[in-house]
Amino acid sequence: MRVGIIGATGYGGAELLRLLNQHPHVQEVVLYTSSKEGMNIQESYPHVSNIYNQTLKSIDVTSIKDEVDTVFLATPPGVSAEWSGQIAETGCRVIDLSGDLRLQNPEVYEKWYKREAAPLALIKDAVYGLPEWNRESIQKAQIISNPGCYPTATLLGLAPLVKNKIIDVDSIIIDAKSGTSGAGRSPSAITHFSEMNENFKIYQINQHKHIPEIEQNLQEWDEQVQTITFQPHLVPMVRGIMATIYAKANQPISETELRNLYREAYENEYFVRIRPEGAYPATKEVYGSNYCDIGLTYDERTGRITVVSVIDNVVKGASGQAIQNFNLIHGFEESTGLTLVPMYP
């Protein structure tokens, strides 16, 4: 197949290049841009020298339909809202890695993203691309809205509890940490070396734009979910997310029952790995891979369940999950091109 990437100079686009290079069903990757026409991708990323020798092309919908079968949008907010609908109308499948199409209510999007929302018809056409819990809808979709990185780790960690009504949904607290690549490639005061090295900081307290995305999906599983407490932190590392999730159990539950609940929920899911009792995952153990590793426990003293969910934010939290969705919409084995052993150390 032939695929296109809009936004190849960002971290998400670069990771798509790395993963698609080994995909057995991808014959060609065409690179498009909304702002850097004529630049060779090697100028931005020398590590792809002798692998990809392409100049970035301007976005022309009439030519895109003749050049590629699927388009990945690894772009900042706003770009997908402008282009996804036009591209999809040509017959190309669209997989959007930005947050433009994730929130079903345009007013909610505008409140949290501080920008104009995409047309409502386009938002309604997009299918939320969390494969483990939305596989059937994804397979039939023309437009996929790829989940955010924090929501991916959080929703995979919470789904068995919320769907089975194991917890008091008003008690959910998510304490999440991310590597700096989650902030994107554009430099900022919060992420440059002098600010981040040997430092650990909380940011966007009660204001992170992934909060409504998490709430929206939890509400689809249990309408009693109203709001959550979610606080993100930056850690001085490049990749990785750890979401430590706390919630009050509705009634006492044994460690065995809790672990069996998760093993049953994910027994056929290639990319979700449940740790044995007493073992908890670290971000390095999924580095460079599409896995989500989950550890969990129940505290009899407090009545709280703790779930630890880790992913590589650039892979399972972005480009790897996008390719997982690509495989689903084209009828390929879901793990195709993604069976990477995590890099360790």
Side-chain angles (χ1 to χ4, degrees):
M1 299 191 70
R2 300 167 301 166
V3 302
I5 300 174
I6 299 176
T9 58
Y11 291 145
E15 194 71 348
L16 281 170
L17 287 172
R18 180 177 79 91
L19 297 172
L20 289 170
N21 184 63
Q22 60 186 5
H23 197 292
H25 301 301
V26 174
Q27 178 183 3
E28 182 182 1
V29 179
V30 183
L31 307 181
Y32 302 96
T33 181
S34 59
S35 60
K36 298 180 180 179
E37 180 183 359
M39 174 190 287
N40 191 296
I41 190 61
Q42 296 177 17
E43 296 177 48
S44 185
Y45 287 117
H47 73 283
V48 301
S49 296
N50 298 334
I51 302 171
Y52 290 101
N53 182 22
Q54 290 189 42
T55 55
L56 306 182
K57 304 176 64 172
S58 62
I59 303 172
D60 181 352
V61 173
T62 57
S63 62
I64 283 178
K65 68 181 178 64
D66 297 322
E67 294 171 344
V68 298
D69 307 293
T70 301
V71 175
F72 294 91
L73 286 105
T75 55
V79 179
S80 176
E82 179 181 357
W83 292 105
S84 289
Q86 297 180 53
I87 295 170
E89 287 176 359
T90 70
C92 287
R93 300 287 184 91
V94 173
I95 301 175
D96 174 33
L97 280 72
S98 79
D100 281 356
L101 309 180
R102 294 175 191 155
L103 299 179
Q104 291 295 299
N105 186 329
E107 293 181 2
V108 173
Y109 176 91
E110 290 171 359
K111 174 184 176 180
W112 289 85
Y113 280 75
K114 312 300 183 187
R115 63 184 310 120
E116 185 178 353
L120 183 59
L122 176 58
I123 294 171
K124 297 301 181 184
D125 282 344
V127 171
Y128 193 67
L130 190 66
E132 288 78 9
W133 294 104
N134 207 22
R135 186 170 286 111
E136 291 185 7
S137 295
I138 292 168
Q139 289 171 330
K140 299 178 288 186
Q142 186 72 21
I143 303 173
I144 299 292
S145 179
N146 215 57
C149 51
Y150 282 128
T152 295
T154 301
L155 293 170
L156 290 175
L158 274 172
L161 299 178
V162 174
K163 291 176 76 71
N164 290 283
K165 302 186 186 304
I166 302 296
I167 56 174
D168 174 1
V169 294
D170 290 332
S171 70
I172 297 172
I173 297 174
I174 302 119
D175 182 54
K177 289 91 173 174
S178 174
T180 57
S181 60
R185 198 180 189 193
S186 298
S188 68
I190 194 174
T191 58
H192 76 67
F193 183 83
S194 297
E195 294 283 341
M196 201 62 244
N197 184 48
E198 297 184 4
N199 201 3
F200 179 32
K201 60 180 72 175
I202 192 169
Y203 69 105
Q204 293 184 12
I205 302 172
N206 299 324
Q207 298 178 345
H208 199 282
K209 60 190 177 184
H210 286 167
I211 292 173
E213 181 181 342
I214 295 169
E215 291 175 346
Q216 173 181 275
N217 286 277
L218 292 178
Q219 288 161 4
E220 290 184 4
W221 296 334
D222 185 345
E223 60 185 14
Q224 297 203 16
V225 175
Q226 296 298 316
T227 58
I228 59 167
T229 295
F230 172 88
Q231 302 299 2
H233 306 71
L234 276 179
V235 182
M237 63 185 188
V238 175
R239 291 175 181 245
I241 279 179
M242 175 180 286
T244 306
I245 304 163
Y246 308 95
K248 191 86 170 179
N250 285 328
Q251 59 186 30
I253 185 170
S254 71
E255 289 276 343
T256 300
E257 290 173 318
L258 186 60
R259 193 154 281 97
N260 286 344
L261 178 73
Y262 274 74
R263 291 195 185 282
E264 182 177 342
Y266 292 119
E267 63 181 345
N268 296 316
E269 299 299 340
Y270 185 91
F271 292 115
V272 180
R273 305 187 298 189
I274 309 301
R275 291 299 170 87
E277 184 174 347
Y280 302 93
T283 58
K284 198 73 169 179
E285 292 158 3
V286 296
Y287 197 92
S289 79
N290 201 52
Y291 290 108
C292 173
D293 284 8
I294 297 174
L296 54 153
T297 189
Y298 171 69
D299 186 343
E300 294 181 358
R301 188 177 65 86
T302 63
R304 290 191 183 93
I305 294 171
T306 300
V307 180
V308 182
S309 177
V310 302
I311 61 171
D312 183 318
N313 58 291
V314 191
V315 190
K316 183 60 171 170
S319 302
Q321 187 156 237
I323 294 173
Q324 194 177 347
N325 285 316
F326 169 81
N327 290 335
L328 282 171
I329 61 178
H330 291 296
F332 304 139
E333 173 62 38
E334 194 168 327
S335 60
T336 303
L338 295 170
T339 54
L340 299 167
V341 176
M343 294 183 284
Y344 200 97

